[in-house]
Amino acid sequence: MGEPLIRWYRENRRDLPWRQQPSPYHVWVSEIMLQQTRVEAVKPYYQRFLAALPAVKDLAEVPEDQLLKLWEGLGYYNRVRNMQKAARQVMADYGGEFPVTYEGIRSLAGIGSYTAGAIASFAYGLPKPAVDGNVLRVIMRLTGDDSDIMKQSTKKQVEENLEPVIPADAASDFNQGLIELGAMVCVPNGQPKCGACPLAGMCRARMEGRIEELPVKTRAKERRIEERTILVFRDGEKTAICKRPDKGLLAGMYELPNYLGHMSRKEVAAYSKEIGLMPVRIKKLPEAKHIFSHVEWHMTGYEVRVDELEKTNEKGFLFIHPEEIQERYPIPAAFGSYLPRS
Ligand code: ADE
């Protein structure tokens, strides 16, 4: 399968920013981002991240708030904290140069077999597999395998079977070919474009009429639903935000004050007074939803106008101008619809 796949990739590859100079650092940054969201959405994040942090050393040294700000909106913030941990490992243990073996790369914080395989093969041409969900889908269809792709054992098996098939002189194009095939031809939603597939002639799923059935993927556990009330305390100019704890969901990010359950206007008024903020006017804001991996926030919000914010600091609130929040404070996308713009 190697030869037609590689030829197809060389002729059809998209010109993506991270394919231009595939250094280990570039591949790493792009692959972690691509685990979060779509190619088109990653592009501006990728450019901005590398402009701010052009080398591993910069990532190792950047203050956390600035780092989280660069990641704002991508989600799974622990991934970027792990990247900083790994960057510090590279500085401390490898003299600032990325490790050159698969095992060395794999030993870094937050780098699993997929990312290690991607870095090793795209940047160094090492014949190691890079199997993500897209590649799993392609392989399951090609081989007519109905194993559950949500199982770690399935991924491990595919990695083992794939490794000896990777050509030593074209590991990068082989792996990227599989990824590109999964993205452009053997697509996750809707009909795969078998007419454009270089491997259609050897595809078991196609021969057996089982394309619709494969891959087999058990449903993930349902998300818990959490009701939350978001409070936007404002005086004429500033807004109250606070820092989340250093552990757990959205660790270390900043947020608008928010509370479990849907509060009534009366409860909001009483609570505001309790923490020393005199509400002048309370305005109900629209409801909003945000989906995290394991929990869904169903939010309601109130804008609470107060005469003077800085009278209280019982709750560790910070009182910041909206423009400064925008510029400097990493705020999870969940709060996006409640953040004052100015
Ligand atoms: N999805 C995951 N990795 C990718 C890559 N390197 N190029 C395009 N899409 C991807």
Side-chain angles (χ1 to χ4, degrees):
M1 75 190 250
E3 203 206 313
L5 175 66
I6 291 163
R7 191 172 342 112
W8 174 84
Y9 177 68
R10 289 179 179 164
E11 284 166 12
N12 294 282
R13 53 177 268 173
R14 285 170 294 172
D15 183 19
L16 300 173
W18 44 90
R19 289 180 176 164
Q20 285 165 10
Q21 290 173 315
S23 70
Y25 182 58
H26 290 173
V27 173
W28 180 36
V29 171
S30 64
E31 288 302 334
I32 302 292
M33 287 184 175
L34 286 160
Q35 285 164 36
Q36 321 278 123
T37 184
R38 297 168 300 110
V39 165
E40 282 311 310
V42 164
K43 285 179 183 174
Y45 278 101
Y46 177 77
Q47 311 282 21
R48 187 180 66 164
F49 193 95
L50 287 186
L53 310 172
V56 179
K57 182 172 187 287
D58 306 306
L59 172 55
E61 292 173 356
V62 67
E64 182 168 88
D65 280 1
Q66 226 171 303
L67 180 65
L68 293 172
K69 192 76 199 168
L70 288 166
W71 208 259
E72 187 184 78
L74 276 172
Y76 293 94
Y77 297 88
N78 279 337
R79 288 195 179 152
V80 73
R81 295 160 177 288
N82 271 333
M83 285 183 76
Q84 184 167 56
K85 237 191 242 171
R88 290 174 177 166
Q89 281 174 277
V90 171
M91 297 311 294
D93 302 344
Y94 296 92
E97 294 293 331
F98 236 79
V100 294
T101 65
Y102 173 82
E103 289 70 26
I105 299 167
R106 178 77 178 76
S107 75
L108 300 171
I111 297 193
S113 64
Y114 168 74
T115 308
I119 296 171
S121 62
F122 305 176
Y124 300 140
L126 297 172
K128 295 302 255 182
V131 176
D132 68 352
N134 290 308
V135 172
L136 276 175
R137 176 176 61 258
V138 173
I139 299 294
M140 291 294 125
R141 285 178 175 159
L142 267 179
T143 57
D145 186 337
D146 62 3
S147 312
D148 177 2
I149 60 166
M150 294 299 277
K151 282 196 177 150
Q152 273 306 309
S153 57
T154 304
K155 178 171 152 174
K156 196 144 183 283
Q157 191 63 55
V158 169
E159 289 171 339
E160 279 175 19
N161 295 344
L162 209 49
E163 184 159 342
V165 181
I166 304 172
D169 60 353
S172 173
D173 287 353
F174 179 89
N175 281 342
Q176 295 202 71
L178 284 175
I179 290 169
E180 198 75 345
L181 204 57
M184 306 304 291
V185 174
C186 203
V187 291
N189 302 306
Q191 272 307 104
K193 305 177 171 102
C194 300
C197 181
L199 306 180
M202 62 180 82
C203 180
R204 289 295 289 258
R206 185 154 179 270
M207 285 181 233
E208 295 168 7
R210 297 164 64 220
I211 284 167
E212 310 276 337
E213 294 161 35
L214 296 174
V216 171
K217 183 176 179 181
T218 52
R219 274 167 62 90
K221 235 174 66 180
E222 283 203 14
R223 289 187 204 90
R224 182 165 54 81
I225 291 176
E226 216 172 84
E227 296 188 332
R228 296 222 145 241
T229 302
I230 315 296
L231 299 184
V232 188
F233 290 112
R234 309 184 67 177
D235 60 12
E237 38 185 316
K238 296 180 178 179
T239 302
I241 59 173
C242 40
K243 195 169 203 284
R244 290 182 65 92
D246 285 335
K247 294 239 165 355
L249 183 72
L250 305 171
M253 305 276 291
Y254 292 80
E255 64 183 356
L256 293 167
N258 64 93
Y259 305 91
L260 200 56
H262 283 171
M263 292 161 85
S264 67
R265 186 184 295 268
K266 253 193 181 153
E267 286 168 322
V268 172
Y271 178 76
S272 304
K273 287 178 201 153
E274 194 184 305
I275 62 171
L277 289 171
M278 252 330 126
V280 177
R281 184 163 56 84
I282 297 177
K283 186 170 113 192
K284 178 104 171 65
L285 299 171
E287 307 201 328
K289 232 189 238 186
H290 190 82
I291 295 173
F292 297 98
S293 51
H294 301 300
V295 62
E296 236 175 270
W297 280 5
H298 290 195
M299 296 171 278
T300 188
Y302 295 89
E303 182 183 272
V304 185
R305 280 278 175 178
V306 299
D307 51 359
E308 199 183 342
L309 272 174
E310 285 163 72
K311 272 192 202 154
T312 180
N313 209 2
E314 257 184 64
K315 291 281 170 185
F317 290 167
L318 303 169
F319 306 110
I320 316 285
H321 279 282
E323 298 87 53
E324 201 186 342
I325 296 178
Q326 175 94 28
E327 252 169 59
R328 292 243 284 274
Y329 291 86
I331 308 244
F335 296 98
S337 50
Y338 294 106
L339 269 181
R341 300 292 153 202
S342 60

